[in-house]
Amino acid sequence: MYRKITKKIIKLAGIKNNLPQLFYTDLEEKTLQIKMTDSVIEIDDGNWSPTDNNLIYQQEFIIEHPNELFGKAKVTDCSNKIGMAAHIYSKNSLFQETITLPVDIVNDTERVKFDFRHTFKPGSLRGYLCIDFFMYLKELNSRQSFQADRIGMILCQEDLYKARIVIDGEGVMFPIIEYKDSNGPLWTIERNWHDPSVDEFDVTNVRIKLNTANPLSKQVFNSNGRMANEIMSTIMVQSIAMITYETILDMQRYYGGMNKVEAMEGSILEVVNTWIIEYSIDTSNMMTIVDSLQNGELYAKLQLRGTTDD
């Protein structure tokens, strides 16, 4: 057992981060920015494709008082150095890597500011991508009691920041957040929209909430097995079914039908209409919606990904 960076220490040291920024390079070699919402990436640019374009992830981190991490009763000795790293992994894209940031965090009262920037090549992303940031022991010159004693040991009690990116074959992002509730279900759908023909399809109005405190979460979200893929496929299918059904009910209630008004660009209705056409969804009732998705092209694609992950 050794001391780690807790929420209290994060507050004392003033460890902060700006929201990530996303960019991609278009066919004319211009670098364009992509809309970002908290730790859930939402791509609003129809010109971006995970197959044809790269994805550049950039994020700034700040430590206001680095000296709060060092000392006899702190995380590590004053003569040591702390590093920062990002663990990037995806079961669907079949890769994981840990990238160290070019920074030495030392016992100093001066503010430290540094960037993480990583470029994902075209065609390298699909499925569920995770980026977890943490601090580790970079250089060991002296050790006090109850402190990490080997270079590379993780110093964080929890990751400093988690980014989650969900990508399908067409480059559409599904709004997803994580929360912790030891008594809660593995996942839930939260809808906050009023008018689906106007309200945007983003994390503010609709989102999947993944419960990382549920006993199944580690097996599902950090696994490459068939069971994990089966559960994630079910989550995606049922989420699309629920959103589709609720949208149909709202459009019937407010306007008398799905086609009575024109869907605004980027709205929930526009996305649902796309799903109905793309996945040949029978919208007669909730059961036919689920059946169309489970026995159609979407579920087949999700299961095909799973056969390559074992």
Side-chain angles (χ1 to χ4, degrees), residues 91-152:
K91 76 183 188 68
N92 296 104
S93 300
L94 295 175
F95 77 85
Q96 67 169 338
E97 60 178 326
T98 299
I99 300 174
T100 58
L101 280 65
V103 60
D104 290 335
I105 303 167
V106 298
N107 182 32
D108 199 332
T109 57
E110 293 293 323
R111 184 189 204 213
V112 177
K113 187 164 64 173
F114 49 92
D115 286 328
F116 172 78
R117 184 182 175 92
H118 185 70
T119 301
F120 298 94
K121 296 179 180 179
S124 66
L125 294 179
R126 61 188 177 99
Y128 196 70
L129 177 70
C130 309
I131 308 178
D132 299 340
F133 293 91
F134 62 92
M135 288 184 177
Y136 67 96
L137 185 59
K138 186 172 185 178
E139 183 178 304
L140 177 64
N141 296 306
S142 181
R143 176 185 177 271
Q144 304 293 336
S145 299
F146 304 107
Q147 291 183 350
D149 58 1
R150 293 191 305 276
I151 291 175

Side-chain angles (χ1 to χ4, degrees), residues 9 21 140 149 190 192 196 216 224 231 234 243 245 279 294:
I9 294 175
Q21 291 182 303
L140 177 64
D149 58 1
E190 185 176 280
N192 301 308
L216 284 174
N224 292 330
I231 294 175
T234 299
I243 294 168
Y245 184 64
Y279 303 132
Q294 286 184 334

Side-chain angles (χ1 to χ4, degrees), residues 21-25 31-34 54-56 58 117:
Q21 291 182 303
L22 295 176
F23 305 89
Y24 71 96
T25 307
T31 300
L32 306 174
Q33 188 166 2
I34 298 170
N54 61 6
L55 182 66
I56 304 167
Q58 183 172 312
R117 184 182 175 92

Side-chain angles (χ1 to χ4, degrees), residues 13-108:
I15 301 174
K16 307 172 185 176
N17 59 268
N18 291 329
L19 289 179
Q21 291 182 303
L22 295 176
F23 305 89
Y24 71 96
T25 307
D26 67 6
L27 297 177
E28 298 178 354
E29 298 298 318
K30 294 180 181 178
T31 300
L32 306 174
Q33 188 166 2
I34 298 170
K35 183 179 178 181
M36 180 71 193
T37 305
D38 198 15
S39 58
V40 180
I41 292 179
E42 173 201 356
I43 293 187
D44 252 0
D45 193 328
N47 295 318
W48 182 85
S49 162
T51 303
D52 302 326
N53 300 108
N54 61 6
L55 182 66
I56 304 167
Y57 183 103
Q58 183 172 312
Q59 189 167 14
E60 182 181 66
F61 291 86
I62 300 165
I63 306 176
E64 298 286 356
H65 312 291
N67 57 299
E68 292 291 344
L69 301 171
F70 298 87
K72 187 175 181 179
K74 300 292 181 68
V75 177
T76 194
D77 187 80
C78 294
S79 63
N80 299 335
K81 293 182 180 180
I82 294 174
M84 182 106 167
H87 181 213
I88 306 173
Y89 54 100
S90 170
K91 76 183 188 68
N92 296 104
S93 300
L94 295 175
F95 77 85
Q96 67 169 338
E97 60 178 326
T98 299
I99 300 174
T100 58
L101 280 65
V103 60
D104 290 335
I105 303 167
V106 298
N107 182 32
D108 199 332

Side-chain angles (χ1 to χ4, degrees), residues 125-300:
L125 294 179
R126 61 188 177 99
Y128 196 70
L129 177 70
C130 309
I131 308 178
D132 299 340
F133 293 91
F134 62 92
M135 288 184 177
Y136 67 96
L137 185 59
K138 186 172 185 178
E139 183 178 304
L140 177 64
N141 296 306
S142 181
R143 176 185 177 271
Q144 304 293 336
S145 299
F146 304 107
Q147 291 183 350
D149 58 1
R150 293 191 305 276
I151 291 175
M153 291 181 73
I154 296 174
L155 300 180
C156 294
Q157 193 173 68
E158 296 181 359
D159 293 317
L160 297 176
Y161 186 83
K162 295 173 178 281
R164 294 294 180 262
I165 310 171
V166 177
I167 306 171
D168 70 13
E170 299 302 321
V172 177
M173 299 299 186
F174 216 112
I176 292 181
I177 65 168
E178 294 183 352
Y179 76 107
K180 293 184 178 181
D181 181 358
S182 57
N183 297 317
L186 180 62
W187 68 281
T188 57
I189 279 278
E190 185 176 280
R191 53 152 292 180
N192 301 308
W193 76 74
H194 173 68
D195 185 341
S197 69
V198 176
D199 295 337
E200 290 187 5
F201 185 80
D202 62 20
V203 73
T204 303
N205 294 315
V206 57
R207 54 192 177 181
I208 300 175
K209 298 176 67 177
L210 302 178
N211 183 9
T212 58
N214 185 283
L216 284 174
S217 65
K218 288 184 179 180
Q219 184 177 355
V220 174
F221 306 139
N222 298 328
S223 171
N224 292 330
R226 288 180 181 272
M227 179 180 177
N229 186 75
E230 182 75 28
I231 294 175
M232 284 302 297
S233 299
T234 299
I235 291 173
M236 296 303 294
V237 165
Q238 291 187 5
S239 297
I240 291 175
M242 290 179 188
I243 294 168
T244 300
Y245 184 64
E246 290 290 328
T247 299
I248 291 171
L249 291 181
D250 283 350
M251 292 302 296
Q252 183 64 42
R253 183 183 304 118
Y254 298 143
Y255 300 107
M258 288 285 284
N259 302 315
K260 298 297 183 179
V261 296
E262 185 175 349
M264 292 187 65
E265 184 177 351
S267 68
I268 295 162
L269 178 59
E270 183 185 53
V271 172
V272 169
N273 282 334
T274 300
W275 289 342
I276 291 172
I277 295 171
E278 184 174 349
Y279 303 132
S280 303
I281 300 175
D282 181 347
T283 59
S284 301
N285 53 57
M286 183 63 176
M287 293 300 294
T288 60
I289 292 171
V290 173
D291 187 65
S292 298
L293 291 167
Q294 286 184 334
N295 296 300
E297 183 180 354
L298 172 64
Y299 197 75

